[in-house]
Amino acid sequence: MTSAPKNSLAALFEGYSPPPPRTAFGNNLANLLASPTILEATTTGGAAQDLGLFGVSALFGHNQPPLPTLPYNWYYVIPRFTRFLSNLAVSEKHRDAGLKKYTNVIASLNRRYYDHSSDTLNGIVIGSWGKSTQIAPPRDVDALFLLPDHVYHRFQQRSGNRQSQLLQEVKEALLATNPRTLMRADRQVVIVPFDAVTVEVAVGFRCTDGSVIVCDSKGDGRYTISTALEESAALDASDRAWNGNTRALIRMLKCWQDNCSVPMKSFVIERLAQDFLLTWQFHQQGVFFYDWMVRDFFAYLIANANGYVVMPGGEIVQIGSDWLSRAQMAYRNAVNACLNERENYQWLAGEDWRRLFGTTIPEGVL
């Protein structure tokens, strides 16, 4: 028995078992044109009105019917989104380079403040690297370094903006071992721009109740409570609860953020993704439902324009609406893409997805 050629459908989908049937929409046209449930349930005002009808044109005018050899609808969703997430993954080379620069910073500060050169003690990777939500190309590595108590008391003896002075001292300590690096202190962090990757290091102190306070040099300066560890724990819990979908959704949204220049902070995107998945009816499903997951997230996002997210610890962060037009366009394209995925028009769906995610998502998977 001869094996199928490598570029054949059989070879491409070898190992994929048929996914379970989708049941949210029936097979009739009226159900297909209905707005997603999440949009109907949460839309307020005019921000998201009638967006569920933007995909109608995708059902008509095609020159080629769905391939008759395919055993079910949405046949290309799994290979497309599997490859998309693979393309988003940070390479081992870039990961090693980023962690090497991080350990360089930690070792330098340990030599200055603890009289040893450990590249792990007293340092914590935070931000996207700490939460494992980074995407390629990798962004800055965020670090938190915990200083000894006596440094806090030493600076408390000073007048003026103590936090700004402390950040300047930390910068000088890093310059001693990296003299050719142009560093600067910027409100809450010291920015260390290495060739391979930039490390942004925040400094703080562990309190007797276990909390961590970090420098904020804005205005006259102050210490604020860091929620970095709580944010990581909350994201871990969400990702475990929802079958790994939380991090997958966040990585895809960060790709959209980059590709469409979306004016929204990454930590807000992460929090919105967690809030959305709490109520999304398919949050236990796998990659076969990722087209709907993307589409329905944008419906949720649009419905929450000018709303807020609550961070671990209770801080309320307003999300505004500067991003609204980009989210509406993303939703239109996602609706069209989902309709084309259902009919197995893989290239048309790919064109729609690329309007959101650029060339990182494959246009075709054959």
Side-chain angles (χ1 to χ4, degrees), residues 29-30 32-36 39 48-58 331-332 335-336 339:
L29 184 61
L32 281 171
L33 298 185
S35 302
L39 185 60
Q49 187 175 3
D50 296 331
L51 283 176
L53 299 179
F54 278 110
V56 177
S57 61
Y331 180 69
R332 296 182 188 111
V335 168
N336 277 332
L339 291 168

Side-chain angles (χ1 to χ4, degrees), residues 225-301:
I225 297 176
S226 171
T227 60
L229 298 180
E230 290 80 2
E231 289 175 37
S232 292
L235 196 150
D236 283 341
S238 175
D239 205 50
R240 287 194 303 270
W242 312 135
N243 194 28
N245 292 331
T246 308
R247 283 191 170 91
L249 177 58
I250 288 169
R251 291 185 183 114
M252 291 187 284
L253 293 174
K254 287 186 175 182
C255 181
W256 168 67
Q257 178 191 32
D258 284 347
N259 186 62
C260 296
S261 301
V262 180
M264 181 180 287
K265 297 290 187 182
S266 293
F267 75 88
V268 172
I269 288 176
E270 292 171 352
R271 195 68 210 174
L272 284 165
Q274 293 171 68
D275 292 346
F276 160 71
L277 286 170
L278 277 173
T279 57
W280 191 52
Q281 60 182 320
F282 303 112
H283 50 203
Q284 290 285 9
Q285 296 292 338
V287 181
F288 188 51
F289 279 71
Y290 276 12
D291 57 333
W292 283 4
M293 182 169 72
V294 169
R295 178 202 62 192
D296 292 353
F297 173 83
F298 285 115
Y300 173 86
L301 179 60

